[in-house]
Amino acid sequence: MTALDATRAELGLVVLYLNKAEARDKICRAIQYGSKFISNGQPGTAKTVDSTTTLARKVFRLLKFVNDLHGLISPSPKGTPLPITLIGKARNALLSTFFFLDQIVWLGRTGIYKNKERAELMGRISLFCWMGSSVCGTLVELAELGRLSVSINKLEKELRHVDKYQDERYRNKLKQSNERLLALIKSSMDIVVAIGLLQLAPKKVTPRVTGAFGFVTSLISCYQQLPVRAKTKSQ
């Protein structure tokens, strides 16, 4: 493969990545929370970027509540314990509610929906739903990591006389464990972001702290949206 072919292939991955609406949304999210970190809630260019990007992101999320509504009514993977299933379904319900209410917030901020007080109330309720979904996501990832740990330990005992890293089952379990761990970090950090946006602890979770945590989780989300080949190369 020539250098031109390699460059063309890499650019193809970039185009594939940027063609995903979810990837563009997460890039905008990184800009939003990065601006929030810089501004620390103070008037200026960074705060303006934060506000405008926040409103622009809501357009990306129009009708997105359908995704989690579909997940809510879809069957869980076979063998998933009932408690994990219930928490996962609660997460779907909360996320779907968050995205639905977020549309009302967008209508209010654009002036289409005239009742601004109710729109702001809906916005606050939606953030509580998002925080609840992040808590549920954290619990699900903790439980799944525990299940994976048991499976990995069993495999290690089974493969104790051979090179376990040559076993495809073991490598797949490790990959799943790493992905779950990353998702756990993201969901737990998003709880702090939600607390900051709701101003539940304004002295401890300042706009700068909210921006820092939100920026990190945005970068994680951007990474999670990478094509499989690009992820493999980065590891």
Side-chain angles (χ1 to χ4, degrees):
M1 181 183 289
T2 65
L4 181 60
D5 290 334
T7 302
R8 189 183 297 116
E10 295 298 329
L11 284 175
L13 287 175
V14 173
V15 171
L16 180 65
Y17 182 74
L18 294 177
N19 278 341
K20 298 166 69 173
E22 189 71 14
R24 290 179 181 272
D25 176 52
K26 299 311 177 187
I27 292 172
C28 289
R29 188 179 191 269
I31 295 171
Q32 172 193 342
Y33 283 105
S35 300
K36 187 180 290 293
F37 172 79
I38 294 171
S39 72
N40 195 26
Q42 301 302 314
T45 303
K47 186 171 177 58
T48 302
V49 172
D50 175 17
S51 300
T52 54
T53 309
T54 300
L55 185 60
R57 286 189 60 225
K58 295 187 185 301
V59 179
F60 284 106
R61 301 201 294 255
L62 289 176
L63 299 179
K64 193 176 177 180
F65 70 92
V66 175
N67 294 358
D68 282 283
L69 184 61
H70 180 266
L72 179 62
I73 63 177
S74 299
S76 298
K78 189 176 180 181
T80 305
L82 181 60
I84 298 179
T85 298
L86 293 176
I87 296 172
K89 294 301 181 183
R91 178 178 181 272
N92 289 134
L94 288 166
L95 262 183
S96 185
T97 305
F98 162 68
F99 287 124
F100 179 77
L101 294 177
D102 199 50
Q103 294 178 136
I104 299 175
V105 176
W106 175 73
L107 291 172
R109 292 185 182 178
T110 54
I112 298 172
Y113 182 65
K114 302 300 182 183
N115 193 330
K116 291 188 176 181
E117 289 184 5
R118 183 165 293 181
E120 290 301 318
L121 175 62
M122 292 297 178
R124 192 162 178 82
I125 294 172
S126 72
L127 286 174
F128 273 110
C129 289
W130 181 54
M131 184 171 68
S133 72
S134 297
V135 172
C136 289
T138 300
L139 294 174
V140 168
E141 298 305 336
L142 281 171
E144 291 292 358
L145 277 170
R147 294 177 66 204
L148 278 169
S149 179
V150 172
S151 299
I152 290 172
N153 287 337
K154 286 183 179 179
L155 273 177
E156 286 178 341
K157 290 179 181 178
E158 181 183 331
L159 302 170
R160 61 181 179 274
H161 298 303
V162 296
D163 186 358
K164 58 189 177 184
Y165 294 103
Q166 297 300 319
D167 188 90
E168 186 176 354
R169 295 173 301 164
Y170 186 80
R171 293 200 305 271
N172 286 338
K173 291 291 183 184
L174 280 183
K175 181 182 176 183
Q176 292 174 30
S177 180
N178 290 335
E179 290 174 349
R180 291 284 184 184
L181 181 59
L182 192 62
L184 172 63
I185 294 170
K186 178 183 176 298
S187 57
S188 58
M189 291 183 72
D190 272 338
I191 296 172
V192 179
V193 177
I195 290 172
L197 294 176
L198 286 163
Q199 296 184 334
L200 299 180
K203 292 184 179 180
K204 292 184 178 180
V205 187
T206 63
R208 178 152 288 167
V209 172
T210 304
F213 275 68
F215 183 72
V216 172
T217 58
S218 299
L219 293 182
I220 293 174
S221 296
C222 288
Y223 171 77
Q224 290 173 328
Q225 293 298 317
L226 285 173
V228 175
R229 180 185 167 190
K231 278 187 181 180
T232 304
K233 290 178 70 175
S234 66
Q235 290 174 350

